[in-house]
Amino acid sequence: QIRLAESGGGLVQAGASLRLSCTADRNTFSTYTMGWFRQVPGRGREFVAHIGIPSSTPDYADSVNGRFTISRDNAKNTLYLQMNNLKPEDTATYYCAATMELVSRDVHAYIHWGQGTQVTVSS
């Protein structure tokens, strides 16, 4: 089991950028496919992006493709999400998660989750 901790959220204006980080407490981080999800109150967690092992071709939700970039640094046990040209509809709590599946957009496939970091984008 690994523990995940997100950071980097905040309040920004539309068009700004943020970089989220997710740090794992164990070197086994490198053995997991990692994903980012987001959630707004009253709705389920929504897939944002995932990246496999080694850093295989990432997969993105249509809503963020071309604006967000997922990456990982296995030497630092850290996952990143670079978010550019943020929009008010990107406002959510962002979670990182780990799965043993090779690729998956299914929230139920992810077995380890961080506590989340809030991203708020004002118009």
Side-chain angles (χ1 to χ4, degrees), residues 38-106:
R38 64 188 182 185
Q39 187 173 23
V40 298
R43 298 179 64 179
R45 290 187 185 181
E46 173 191 25
F47 168 75
V48 174
H50 70 63
I51 186 168
I53 53 168
S55 297
S56 58
T57 301
D59 182 32
Y60 298 95
D62 289 345
S63 58
V64 307
N65 197 20
R67 299 187 298 120
F68 290 11
T69 302
I70 188 172
S71 62
R72 66 191 299 166
D73 186 339
N74 288 337
K76 295 182 178 180
N77 295 337
T78 302
L79 176 74
Y80 302 100
L81 185 68
Q82 177 67 44
M83 305 186 294
N84 298 329
N85 190 23
L86 282 160
K87 303 177 180 180
E89 51 264 42
D90 295 319
T91 295
T93 301
Y94 284 72
Y95 298 88
C96 66
T99 179
M100 296 302 294
E101 301 287 337
L102 290 179
V103 293
S104 182
R105 292 187 170 200
D106 184 356

Side-chain angles (χ1 to χ4, degrees), residues 105-120:
R105 292 187 170 200
D106 184 356
V107 64
H108 298 101
Y110 287 78
I111 55 175
H112 303 299
W113 291 84
Q115 293 300 305
T117 186
Q118 178 67 35
V119 172
T120 303

